[in-house]
Amino acid sequence: MAEPTAVPELPARLRAPEPVIVGGMLAWLIATIVVAVTDIGPDRALTVCWVGLAVGLVGTAIVLVQRTAVRRGSKGAQEGLD
């Protein structure tokens, strides 16, 4: 039986959650501004934009809490968030 080949670990820049979070929040911010200024879309469009921004903030808080737990050395912390 052949031995399994080792899979190399992804570089840190490809594993980092910050660019995805910042990019998503910027997209929601731009959408919020466009919908608020131009009043396009259905009645709930502005609400959806605000909720998108809120989800980005919650995601940021989760990443920060997990990163703090990693630095503290907590056993339940997510791995890979040096």
Side-chain angles (χ1 to χ4, degrees):
M1 198 157 97
E3 290 188 32
T5 57
V7 178
E9 191 171 317
L10 285 173
R13 65 182 179 85
L14 293 178
R15 291 182 286 130
E18 293 88 0
V20 175
I21 293 172
V22 170
M25 287 183 69
L26 282 175
W28 279 115
L29 180 63
I30 291 168
T32 303
I33 292 170
V34 167
V35 169
V37 170
T38 62
D39 199 31
I40 61 173
D43 295 338
R44 290 185 239 155
L46 189 57
T47 303
V48 170
C49 291
W50 284 116
V51 170
L53 283 171
V55 168
L57 290 174
V58 170
T60 301
I62 290 171
V63 168
L64 292 175
V65 167
Q66 285 292 326
R67 184 167 286 154
T68 302
V70 167
R71 289 185 182 142
R72 202 176 52 231
S74 177
K75 291 181 183 179
Q78 183 176 345
E79 295 178 12
L81 290 176
D82 318 292

